[in-house]
């Protein structure tokens, strides 16, 4: 039974078989070239290891999807099979135990590599790139499969069937195209000296700051209480117990037995209930109406149950997830308890989800008050008087997008300051400041900050030359995401991976 349930397990990202139409080539030649380069990160050699039983398919000729008219199937000797086997072999050598999720990931990565491989070959075909049969012959002669005592063995070559030899030649031909196009693009894409100098100087001017921080997580309890008091019905609280079953009939029978005193509520919950409160005899403890109403598709059902008399048993109701149950009201309705951390956290979560602007507005007002005090009495003094936490940053340039070649925004301990990498306002405001000048309040997502400029520095020529040396790598970092955007855009391929995996590997 457990095995059957395991086989029926679903995996993330299941897609429909929607037909896609090919997308045009990249219009910008630099983007096109750089996107291809990033294939080096993912491309692997055509080395096929022995298939491991735990990773082996239970059938063949199942399509995992298609790209540019190529159906991606797991067949012996195919690129897909080679990638899957190579990954499986690599994992086996790690000595780790294989979980279902691990097997899924191995197959998924092999599938993505195959998509990229076919997209790469399509670009090569469109550009008119060709590989000669002589080059294929030379590559075949260098295949370790045909070596004996360190040399090519004609006997071993002739021992392979004509069908297998033809398939191997086709695979070798595709692999040569794959590799040669990478090599040619690498040569064409090397930045010129002026380009390298331009890239390096982007990170030459650096600044450090002191930040006054107003984290949203410190939204004060009195503000939370005030919010709850504005909506008292939403945050009513009472003790509730429940019993949940899979069908209305089962729930009705059990309810009648409890009413007839054949079973008490706690015993029935422990023995029959299928929800997460069974072990506690059905007791849910203190329940906030906001949480309770989320279990039902309509607020009226939640309201009628929550407002029932203390000690009463409700009728059978259907929950949002399609199960059936009944409830017992264990206490009178009361208001929110400010001393309860759990209840306060639930209201805080509600505000963060449905009225986050309220939190931001509160801290922006606090930051405005701090800014005024800092301008009058000094940044450090105003922070100390107001009990506001501050942090000194490292030296960093305008590094929009968190390019790996340059420092990102960190505190003195090297911790990344969240929300800065793609925040245009942050960089524009901070790099327009003069010495010791104080910024306006800036939202970073989870907090408001006010910054004071501490220092400015232009990197030395030696460090600049170091940056120039690695300018080529920055291109890959900048446009790494471009590869997936162009080649793994859903418009150019059909993805049936999850359905095929269930059928081929899991046997469902």
């Amino acid at each position: 039974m457990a095995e059957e349930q395991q086989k029926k397990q679903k995996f993330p990202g299941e897609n429909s078989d929607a037909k896609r139409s090919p997308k045009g080539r990249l219009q910008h030649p630099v983007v096109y070239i750089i996107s291809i380069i990033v294939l080096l990160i993912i491309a692997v050699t055509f080395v096929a290891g022995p298939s491991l039983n735990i990773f082996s398919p239970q059938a063949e000729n199942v399509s995992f999807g298609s790209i540019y008219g190529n159906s991606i199937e797991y067949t012996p000797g195919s690129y897909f099979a080679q990638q899957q086997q190579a990954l499986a072999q690599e994992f086996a050598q790690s000595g780790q135990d294989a979980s279902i999720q691990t097997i899924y990931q191995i197959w998924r990565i092999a599938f993505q590599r195959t998509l990229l491989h076919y997209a790469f070959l399509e670009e090569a075909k469109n550009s008119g790139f060709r590989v000669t049969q002589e080059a294929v012959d030379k590559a075949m002669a260098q295949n370790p499969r045909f070596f004996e005592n360190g040399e090519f063995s004609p006997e071993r070559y002739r021992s392979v069937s004509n069908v297998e030899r033809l398939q191997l030649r086709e695979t070798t031909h595709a692999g040569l195209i794959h590799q040669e196009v990478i090599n040619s693009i690498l040569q064409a894409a090397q930045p010129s000296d002026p380009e390298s100098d331009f890239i390096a100087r982007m990170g030459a001017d650096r600044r450090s700051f002191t930040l006054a921080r107003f984290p949203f997580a410190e939204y004060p309890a009195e503000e939370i209480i005030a919010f709850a008091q504005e909506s008292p019905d939403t945050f009513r609280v009472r003790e509730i117990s429940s019993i949940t079953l899979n069908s209305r009939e089962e729930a009705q029978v059990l309810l009648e037995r409890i009413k007839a005193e054949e079973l008490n509520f706690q015993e029935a919950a422990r023995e029959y209930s299928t929800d997460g409160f069974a072990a506690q005899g059905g007791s849910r403890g203190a329940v906030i109406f906001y949480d309770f109403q989320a279990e039902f598709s309509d607020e009226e059902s939640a309201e009628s149950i929550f407002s029932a008399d203390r000690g009463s048993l409700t009728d059978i109701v259907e929950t949002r997830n399609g199960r059936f149950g009944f409830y017992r009201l264990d206490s009178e309705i009361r208001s929110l308890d400010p001393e309860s951390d759990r209840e306060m956290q639930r209201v805080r979560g509600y505000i963060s989800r449905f009225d986050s602007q309220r939190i931001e507005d509160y801290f922006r007002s606090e930051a405005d008050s701090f800014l005024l005090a800092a301008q009058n009495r000094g940044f450090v003094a105003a922070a100390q008087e107001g009990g506001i936490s501050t942090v000194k940053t490292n030296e960093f340039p305008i590094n929009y997008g968190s390019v790996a070649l340059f420092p990102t925004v960190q505190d003195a301990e090297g911790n990344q300051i969240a929300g800065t990498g793609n925040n245009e306002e942050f960089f524009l405001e901070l790099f327009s400041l003069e010495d010791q000048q104080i910024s306006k309040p800036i939202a970073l997502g989870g907090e408001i900050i006010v910054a004071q400029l501490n220092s400015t520095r232009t990197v030395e020529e030696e460090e600049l030359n170091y940056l120039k040396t690695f300018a080529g790598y920055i291109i890959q970092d900048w446009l790494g995401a471009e590869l997936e955007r162009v080649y793994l855009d859903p418009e150019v391929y059909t993805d049936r991976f999850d359905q095929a995996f269930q059928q081929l590997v899991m046997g469902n």
Side-chain angles (χ1 to χ4, degrees):
M1 187 69 171
E3 182 181 352
E4 184 68 18
Q5 290 176 344
Q6 187 183 54
K7 284 186 175 181
K8 292 182 179 179
Q9 181 172 347
K10 297 297 181 184
F11 294 87
E14 189 163 340
N15 298 319
S16 64
D17 296 341
K19 294 294 181 183
R20 318 289 186 181
S21 57
K23 193 173 182 179
R25 288 183 60 160
L26 291 171
Q27 297 301 311
H28 197 295
V30 175
V31 174
Y32 167 68
I33 290 172
I34 294 170
S35 296
I36 295 291
I37 291 176
V38 186
L39 282 167
L40 284 171
I41 300 170
I42 302 171
V44 297
T45 57
F46 287 78
V47 178
S51 180
L52 306 177
N53 289 337
I54 58 171
F55 298 102
S56 298
Q58 301 181 24
E60 294 179 0
N61 301 322
V62 175
S63 176
F64 282 73
S66 63
I67 182 168
Y68 296 116
N70 299 289
S71 178
I72 299 176
E73 300 177 5
Y74 188 95
T75 56
S78 67
Y79 186 86
F80 185 23
Q82 291 177 5
Q83 297 305 304
Q84 182 270 337
Q85 290 166 1
L87 288 165
Q89 184 67 40
E90 181 180 346
F91 179 81
Q93 291 172 353
S94 72
Q96 302 178 53
D97 294 330
S99 65
I100 293 176
Q101 189 64 28
T102 299
I103 298 171
Y104 175 88
Q105 290 298 331
I106 284 174
W107 280 80
R108 182 69 192 179
I109 293 171
F111 172 70
Q112 290 175 318
R113 288 179 174 179
T114 306
L115 286 175
L116 289 168
H117 173 68
Y118 279 119
F120 193 87
L121 297 182
E122 181 72 13
E123 290 292 348
K125 182 178 71 174
N126 292 338
S127 66
F129 189 88
R130 297 291 182 269
V131 170
T132 65
Q133 290 304 311
E134 290 77 11
V136 176
D137 291 338
K138 289 181 180 179
M140 290 281 285
Q142 295 171 1
N143 191 320
R145 178 176 180 180
F146 304 128
F147 273 47
E148 186 173 5
N149 298 325
E151 296 181 350
F152 175 76
S153 170
E155 290 77 15
R156 286 200 172 193
Y157 180 78
R158 286 193 292 267
S159 67
V160 176
S161 68
N162 290 334
V163 173
E164 189 175 358
R165 193 182 304 155
L166 178 60
Q167 185 180 56
L168 185 57
R169 287 187 67 86
E170 291 175 351
T171 302
T172 302
H173 181 266
L176 287 172
I177 293 177
H178 191 123
Q179 191 59 50
E180 288 301 319
V181 174
I182 287 175
N183 293 339
S184 64
I185 289 175
L186 276 176
Q187 295 173 2
Q190 290 300 315
S192 65
D193 289 342
E195 289 171 333
S196 296
D197 185 69
F198 174 78
I199 292 171
R201 292 187 185 281
M202 288 175 63
D205 295 326
R206 305 190 179 181
R207 297 186 169 199
S208 68
F209 302 84
T210 299
L211 307 182
R213 310 182 76 171
F214 301 83
F216 294 170
E218 295 180 4
Y219 193 58
E222 55 268 25
E223 293 293 322
I224 296 174
I225 295 170
F227 181 87
Q229 290 173 343
E230 292 172 12
S231 305
D233 288 346
T234 301
F235 300 106
R236 292 171 286 167
V237 182
R238 76 184 307 181
E239 306 279 333
I240 296 178
S241 295
S242 66
I243 293 178
T244 308
L245 294 107
N246 294 324
S247 72
R248 182 181 295 275
E249 292 74 18
E250 290 176 318
Q252 189 64 52
V253 169
L254 192 59
L255 177 59
E256 294 301 328
R257 291 183 65 188
I258 293 172
K259 288 181 176 180
E261 298 184 352
E262 295 178 21
L263 288 171
N264 66 43
F265 193 96
Q266 289 86 347
E267 291 173 347
R270 291 190 181 97
E271 186 170 354
Y272 299 106
S273 185
T274 60
D275 61 32
F277 307 99
Q280 292 80 45
S283 176
R284 293 171 169 238
V287 178
I288 300 174
F289 181 72
Y290 151 64
D291 292 322
F292 188 70
Q293 70 177 351
E295 298 182 22
F296 304 92
S297 56
D298 62 288
E299 186 175 338
E300 290 75 17
S301 295
E303 181 64 47
S304 64
I305 295 171
F306 207 86
S307 301
D309 294 337
R310 177 180 180 179
S312 63
L313 290 171
T314 70
D315 293 331
I316 306 300
V317 292
E318 183 177 0
T319 62
R320 187 186 294 272
N321 62 12
R323 293 195 291 175
F324 299 86
F326 51 93
Y327 299 82
R328 186 183 68 188
L329 290 306
D330 298 329
S331 73
E332 299 292 349
I333 296 175
R334 62 172 174 81
S335 58
L336 188 79
D337 181 5
E339 301 300 318
S340 170
D341 290 339
R342 175 183 171 276
E343 293 177 22
M344 292 290 284
Q345 285 298 325
R346 293 303 299 150
V347 181
R348 182 187 296 276
Y350 181 97
I351 302 172
S352 297
R353 181 178 179 184
F354 297 108
D355 198 3
S356 59
Q357 190 63 46
R358 182 186 183 108
I359 298 177
E360 181 175 330
D361 290 345
Y362 172 84
F363 282 110
R364 193 173 286 279
S365 175
E366 292 289 299
D368 285 336
S369 298
F370 166 76
L371 176 59
L372 183 60
Q375 290 170 336
N376 291 331
R377 298 191 295 277
F379 193 92
V380 174
Q384 290 176 341
E385 291 172 9
I388 298 165
S389 63
T390 61
V391 62
K392 293 185 180 296
T393 73
N394 62 330
E395 289 184 339
F396 60 88
I398 297 177
N399 190 2
Y400 185 81
S402 299
V403 176
L405 189 63
F406 305 130
T408 54
V409 185
Q410 303 172 5
D411 62 22
E413 285 72 42
N415 300 310
Q416 187 81 17
I417 297 179
T420 57
N422 294 302
N423 192 318
E424 184 176 346
E425 181 188 14
F426 174 82
F427 288 110
L428 286 174
E429 175 68 14
L430 267 61
F431 277 77
S432 66
L433 299 177
E434 297 180 0
D435 187 39
Q436 299 302 308
Q437 190 175 2
I438 302 172
S439 75
K440 67 181 182 182
I442 302 169
L444 293 184
E447 63 180 334
I448 301 290
I449 63 102
V450 176
Q452 182 179 44
L453 176 61
N454 289 339
S455 67
T456 61
R457 180 177 73 90
T458 300
V459 300
E460 302 292 336
E461 195 67 27
E462 181 178 355
E463 187 174 353
L464 199 63
N465 289 333
Y466 172 84
L467 294 175
K468 291 178 185 178
T469 302
F470 290 93
Y473 295 104
I474 200 173
I475 297 176
Q476 293 183 28
D477 187 70
W478 275 341
L479 294 175
E482 187 69 13
L483 173 68
E484 290 192 8
R485 188 190 72 79
V486 175
Y487 290 119
L488 295 188
D489 188 322
E491 292 185 6
V492 304
Y493 71 93
T494 299
D495 187 346
R496 289 192 68 255
F497 179 85
D498 287 305
Q499 301 96 311
F501 182 86
Q502 288 285 333
Q503 179 181 350
L504 184 67
V505 183
M506 303 301 295
N508 293 346

